[in-house]
Amino acid sequence: MRKLFGTVVLAGLVAAGAGWVLTAPDPLPEGSFAGVEGDAERGQVVFTAAGCASCHHAPGAEGEDKLILAGGQRFVSDFGTFLSPNISPDPDHGIGAWSEEQFANAVMRGVSPGGEHLYPAFPYTAYARMGDRDLVDLWAFMRTLPPSSEPSKPHEVGFPFNIRRALGGWKLLYFDESWVMAGNDLGQELTRGRYLVEALAHCGECHTPRDALGGLKRAAWLSGAPNPNGTGTIPGLTPDKLSWSATDVAYYLETGFTPDFDSVGGHMAEVVENFSALSEEDRAAVAAYVKALPEGGAMN
């Protein structure tokens, strides 16, 4: 009996150790961006397409004040309420003291400068597909923004979701950097549309349903989802849910007006504000991607 007990304890310790290793943060290799020079002007386009200000400006900010990334917006979910942090260049309350490598690990790996997992309310699972040049350009632009001394507010997340190490297990299940719309021969427009939709603009984060653990159901990609705040639904973009033409989609992203003469509302208004600042070619690329989706979102 004593021998059996010892065996069970040893097996438990081995399993716990393996779990600890498997759930450890997985940062980018050191020197991943060595020799890549950032261009702040190009970074502004990345910043706009990625919607950074939409989530990180202070509640109620308007106009140029949206470039003060003080944070504080609340995002309700089944797992608690997440509050966007201060990501301005302030060295004490923002990310001004971060290195480029620390910024890249947060954006593309969901790993904080202190080595903790970040919650996937920050869409790093989409940003992981970002190109190296775009990441470096984004960092260059963000350092030009005005600082804010507003302290970040803690997330309102209870047990067991406040155990950050458990997010390592979540990442093992759901952190998939592969393209949802597969293929290397999509053509220039569709490839750009895929990059904007699946990476920078992270459209799947809202328009794709999730399972009980909060993982995206890639087999139902962009087919619509319940609103995380519990009110209403976020519409699907697949052909069985959206009958708009590519021209209609591009026009909506530019103006916020639908073919039925309705206008955009809610958080989507911020998305349209971002897309209206992008090029006509980028809006057309997104429209081409949407029209290339299969019914129900089931990719090959």
Side-chain angles (χ1 to χ4, degrees):
M1 181 64 70
R2 187 175 300 173
K3 184 177 180 180
L4 177 61
F5 178 76
T7 301
V8 171
V9 169
L10 178 60
L13 290 173
V14 170
W20 187 256
V21 171
L22 289 172
T23 59
D26 181 25
L28 293 162
E30 289 188 18
S32 293
F33 304 96
V36 184
E37 293 294 327
D39 182 324
E41 186 174 346
R42 288 189 74 257
Q44 184 174 9
V45 177
V46 180
F47 176 88
T48 302
C52 304
S54 300
C55 290
H56 289 277
H57 68 63
E62 297 289 343
E64 290 297 310
D65 286 346
K66 288 186 175 181
L67 293 178
I68 304 174
L69 307 182
Q73 293 187 57
R74 300 170 64 86
F75 297 91
V76 179
S77 77
D78 292 338
F79 309 100
T81 297
F82 299 93
L83 285 87
S84 59
N86 181 336
I87 60 168
S88 79
D90 185 271
D92 298 315
H93 299 287
I95 63 173
W98 290 18
S99 68
E100 180 182 81
E101 185 174 334
Q102 288 172 329
F103 176 73
N105 275 313
V107 171
M108 301 181 73
R109 284 291 183 272
V111 179
S112 76
E116 286 190 318
H117 291 296
L118 298 175
Y119 288 103
F122 176 43
Y124 51 78
T125 53
Y127 293 154
R129 304 181 181 99
M130 189 183 299
D132 290 356
R133 176 68 186 274
D134 278 356
L135 186 284
V136 173
D137 289 343
L138 174 61
W139 176 238
F141 174 72
M142 291 188 67
R143 286 183 292 171
T144 71
L145 296 177
S148 167
S149 59
E150 183 70 25
S152 296
K153 298 176 177 62
H155 299 308
E156 298 169 2
V157 180
F159 182 83
F161 306 116
N162 59 351
I163 303 174
R164 287 185 181 260
R165 188 71 181 209
L167 290 168
W170 187 92
K171 287 179 177 179
L172 287 174
L173 292 172
Y174 301 114
F175 199 158
D176 186 347
E177 300 175 49
S178 65
W179 296 108
V180 182
M181 183 178 286
N184 297 319
D185 55 351
L186 300 179
Q188 183 176 352
E189 183 178 58
L190 197 52
T191 297
R192 176 62 176 173
R194 179 178 68 177
Y195 183 65
L196 288 167
V197 171
E198 296 190 21
L200 296 188
H202 54 277
C203 304
E205 297 296 313
C206 289
H207 288 276
T208 300
R210 298 176 181 272
D211 63 19
L213 294 178
L216 292 176
K217 296 181 178 179
R218 285 170 59 116
W221 184 247
L222 298 181
S223 62
N227 194 321
N229 67 15
T231 58
T233 57
I234 296 172
L237 305 180
T238 51
D240 53 316
K241 304 288 181 63
L242 185 70
S243 60
W244 300 357
S245 68
T247 301
D248 292 335
V249 173
Y251 183 74
Y252 174 75
L253 293 175
E254 181 182 8
T255 67
F257 289 106
T258 73
D260 302 321
F261 306 104
D262 197 0
S263 59
V264 66
H267 196 73
M268 190 63 195
E270 299 254 12
V271 177
V272 169
E273 182 179 346
N274 294 332
F275 270 106
S276 68
L278 299 181
S279 67
E280 180 180 349
E281 290 76 15
D282 276 350
R283 290 190 293 271
V286 171
Y289 177 94
V290 169
K291 297 309 296 181
L293 292 169
E295 291 203 8
M299 298 288 187
N300 293 328

